[in-house]
Amino acid sequence: MEILIGLLIIAVGAFCQSSCYVPINKIRGWSWESYWLVQGVFAWLVLPFLGALLAVPEGHSLSELFASANCFNLWMTILFGVLWGVGGLTFGLSMRYLGVALGQSISLGTCAALGTILGPVLINIFFPEENALSQLTASVIVGVVVTLLGIAIIGFAGKMKSDMLSDEEKKAAVKDFNFPKGIAIALLAGFMSGCFNVGLEFGKGINFGDLTPDMFKTLPATLFVTVGGFCTNAVYCLWQNHKNNTWADYGKGRVWGNNLVLCFLAGALWYSQFFGLALGKGFLTSSPTLMTLSFCILMALNVVFSNVWGIILKEWKGCNSKTIGVLITGIVVLIIATFLPQLIG
């Protein structure tokens, strides 16, 4: 029962993350770089900080935790957060060129596989005594492979969509649709985004041990990863403000109230995925396989819900029943990938 609860919590977080672009689409009067930076303040600084406070028991403080943390692990967590920030930037661009459904599918699929595998591999390189490679059991590999199969099927549906629609129809669904450019960016986004889970692996010991409930133990590491990612995104967005002369966005008082609320909502929905991941893992401790695969499961469910939103937002409008059938098949495979490792483990 606890495993089911854990998976449901992760699913709720995935649904929230996949919904974060809905409020962003309603932002008015700001360029991409301006609203991306403002929502990032909430998604990568404010909310992760508040989340990390939950891991601090009474009588202790975050500063105490950070001062006592292993310095190497702490900085590695931040470093992989910086690298993940590159993935976050290109992830946003993949949405621009491929749409919510296809862009998230390709990016998150690559992220799910590499994030799951790279963590134990790199931990094993730096700390061989931990025998981290033992986490990559046959059940875990099967879970990753089935997830990639589901992503590939959805990607094929996207290719079918691209081949079938006219240029006018593509632009109607996704304004800047560009399949070759979008695919290249999405793959880069997925590779770099997988660094988030690597950062969590390096930072998994940054907590108060038994004094911190299992469901909150990864929240301090999440804060360090997102702080690193914020640095990358802030530098790029401010450079874009300068390059495109969009500094005036921040002075448009008539839209600040509306846009600030929408940025906060988008940031909260985005952060929910990793808050939900932390809570969900607290219920998965009896299953080492699902603990290792939890990041992969989150990404797979993100893809499922992002494609549901893609259908709702009419990004698949004009596609024939065969294309929609392939898309639904891919979604079903991803749902199966969520439970299959536990059944065969």
Side-chain angles (χ1 to χ4, degrees), residues 290-303:
L290 290 183
M291 286 289 286
T292 303
L293 270 176
S294 57
F295 183 80
C296 186
I297 290 172
L298 173 65
M299 295 301 113
L301 291 174
N302 280 345
V303 173

Side-chain angles (χ1 to χ4, degrees), residues 6-342:
L7 291 175
L8 286 175
I9 292 174
I10 292 174
V12 171
F15 175 77
C16 290
Q17 187 280 334
S18 300
S19 306
C20 72
Y21 285 90
V22 176
I24 281 179
N25 287 334
K26 298 183 181 298
I27 291 174
R28 298 291 180 265
W30 282 359
S31 60
W32 178 88
E33 56 268 22
S34 299
Y35 70 67
W36 192 254
L37 178 60
V38 174
Q39 71 83 32
V41 170
F42 295 112
W44 308 322
L45 293 181
V46 176
L47 293 170
F49 174 77
L50 295 176
L53 290 177
L54 294 174
V56 180
E58 188 176 352
H60 298 272
S61 66
L62 270 180
S63 58
E64 175 190 346
L65 174 61
F66 299 155
S68 61
N70 180 291
C71 189
F72 176 79
N73 284 358
L74 191 151
W75 283 109
M76 289 295 283
T77 302
I78 295 175
L79 171 61
F80 280 100
V82 170
L83 296 177
W84 161 76
V86 177
L89 284 172
T90 48
F91 185 77
L93 291 175
S94 72
M95 307 297 107
R96 177 178 177 181
Y97 294 119
L98 295 176
V100 173
L102 186 56
Q104 289 206 62
S105 297
I106 303 301
S107 299
L108 294 179
T110 309
C111 173
L114 291 178
T116 300
I117 294 172
L118 279 178
V121 169
L122 291 177
I123 291 294
N124 190 74
I125 291 175
F126 288 100
F127 305 103
E129 69 277 5
E130 294 188 14
N131 193 27
L133 288 180
S134 63
Q135 299 176 33
L136 301 179
T137 63
S139 297
V140 169
I141 299 301
V142 167
V144 171
V145 170
V146 175
T147 297
L148 288 177
L149 175 61
I151 298 299
I153 293 172
I154 290 175
F156 183 67
K159 182 63 168 60
M160 293 172 66
K161 167 191 172 183
S162 175
D163 292 340
M164 184 180 60
L165 299 180
S166 66
D167 290 339
E168 292 74 17
E169 289 172 320
K170 294 175 186 175
K171 296 296 183 182
V174 181
K175 183 179 178 181
D176 297 317
F177 187 86
N178 186 319
F179 189 76
K181 186 175 184 178
I183 288 294
I185 292 175
L187 289 173
L188 174 62
F191 179 82
M192 300 304 288
S193 294
C195 291
F196 197 107
N197 195 46
V198 179
L200 292 182
E201 283 292 312
F202 275 100
K204 62 185 177 183
I206 305 177
N207 54 64
F208 285 95
D210 293 338
L211 296 178
T212 300
D214 288 338
M215 64 179 62
F216 299 145
K217 282 187 175 178
T218 63
L219 292 177
T222 301
L223 170 62
F224 275 111
V225 175
T226 57
V227 165
F230 177 80
C231 293
T232 306
N233 281 265
V235 168
Y236 180 80
C237 288
L238 293 174
W239 176 69
Q240 285 292 302
N241 282 141
H242 175 74
K243 176 184 177 183
N244 301 326
N245 196 27
T246 52
W247 295 108
D249 287 350
Y250 305 113
K252 296 178 180 177
R254 58 187 172 79
V255 299
W256 253 104
N258 174 75
N259 288 357
L260 193 65
V261 171
L262 291 172
C263 284
F264 170 78
L265 181 57
L269 289 171
W270 183 92
Y271 176 65
S272 294
Q273 65 179 316
F274 292 110
F275 187 73
L277 178 65
L279 298 186
K281 288 174 72 172
F283 290 91
L284 301 179
T285 54
S286 63
S287 174
T289 295
L290 290 183
M291 286 289 286
T292 303
L293 270 176
S294 57
F295 183 80
C296 186
I297 290 172
L298 173 65
M299 295 301 113
L301 291 174
N302 280 345
V303 173
V304 169
F305 290 121
S306 68
N307 278 283
V308 171
W309 273 116
I311 293 172
I312 293 173
L313 296 175
K314 302 184 188 301
E315 291 183 359
W316 295 89
K317 183 179 179 180
C319 296
N320 57 31
S321 58
K322 183 178 179 180
T323 301
I324 298 300
V326 173
L327 172 65
I328 293 174
T329 299
I331 291 175
V332 171
V333 170
L334 287 178
I335 294 174
I336 292 173
T338 302
F339 299 96
L340 183 62
Q342 179 65 15

